[in-house]
Amino acid sequence: MLRTCAIFVLCLIPHLAVADPSGRIRVIDGDTWDVGGERVRLFAIDAPEADQTCQTPEGAVWRCGQWVSQQVKARYDGRQARCTTIDTDRYGRAVARCTVGGRDVGRALVSDGLAFAYRKYAMDYDLDEKAAVVNDRGLHGSRFQSPAQFRAARRSAVQPSRQDCPIKGNVSSKGVKIYHLPGQEHYDKTRINTAKGERWFCSEAEARQAGWRRSRR
C-alpha cells in the first residue's frame, strides 16, 4: 500500500508545476508578453528597454527600444503562442520558451537583431546572435548599450529626493505607468522600485512627458 501511494504521489507531481502558457499574444515589449492572459518573460533573450536609445553609425540618436517593441507587436500581437515554462522570475512572471506557427520566437528575434542572446542564463541563441552581428541585422547596424548595462546605469543614476520631487511614478503589474500625487488614495502605500523603471517626478508635466498617466484615485 505504501509503495502504491508513493507512486501515486509521484505521478501527481507534474500537475503541481506552473501551467505552460498558451493562447493569444499581447505584446508588452520586445521580450515580455501576455500569453493567454499570463505574463511571460521570453527565455534566454534580452531586448532593449522601451525607453532605451541607440546611435546610428553617423552618431544620430534614435529610439531603438520603442522601435523593437513596434516591430515585435507588428509580427506577433494577436497571434497564438504555445509556451513551455522554464522558470519563474522575481516578479512572478513565467520565464518561457515560446513558439508561434511552430517557430521558436526567441531564435527568430535574436536572428533578426531585435533582441540579444541572454548568455547569463543560457547559451541557446549564441550562434544566432553571432550570425546577426556579422550581417548587421536589426540593432547590430547601430551602436548600442546592452539592455543589462542600460538597466544597471539607470539604477545607479542619482534619484531626486522626495522633498524636491514627491510624485511617485509607479509601473503596474500590467506594465501601465501611473503617477501618484501626495494625498491621493494609493500614494502612501506605493513603493518605488527603480529596478523596474519606476521613478520620482518633480511635476505632473514631467511625469506626463515621460509617458506616465495620473492615478484616478
Side-chain angles (χ1 to χ4, degrees), residues 162 168-171 178 180 186-194 196 198-200:
R162 296 185 183 187
K168 295 179 178 181
N170 173 249
V171 180
I178 303 171
H180 301 264
H186 300 296
Y187 182 85
D188 289 338
K189 64 182 180 182
T190 297
R191 298 290 179 266
I192 299 303
N193 182 351
T194 56
K196 292 172 55 180
E198 297 176 337
R199 53 183 290 194
W200 297 87

Side-chain angles (χ1 to χ4, degrees), residues 26-34 39-50 65 68-69 72 89 93-96 98 105-106 109 114-116 118 147-148 151:
R26 184 172 75 91
V27 173
I28 307 302
D29 59 29
D31 55 29
T32 306
W33 297 357
D34 281 345
R39 185 60 51 90
V40 170
R41 176 66 164 81
L42 297 175
F43 173 69
I45 73 168
D46 202 13
E49 298 298 313
V68 165
S69 294
V72 176
D89 70 10
R93 301 176 297 188
V95 179
C98 298
V105 169
L109 294 178
L114 296 175
F116 306 97
Y118 212 169
R151 290 191 294 269

Side-chain angles (χ1 to χ4, degrees), residues 54-62 136 141-144:
C54 299
Q55 284 187 320
T56 66
E58 296 73 31
V61 176
W62 65 290
D136 285 337
S142 294
R143 295 196 294 267
F144 57 82

Side-chain angles (χ1 to χ4, degrees), residues 12-33:
L12 287 179
I13 287 175
H15 299 284
L16 298 177
V18 176
D20 294 332
S22 65
R24 188 174 183 273
I25 299 166
R26 184 172 75 91
V27 173
I28 307 302
D29 59 29
D31 55 29
T32 306
W33 297 357

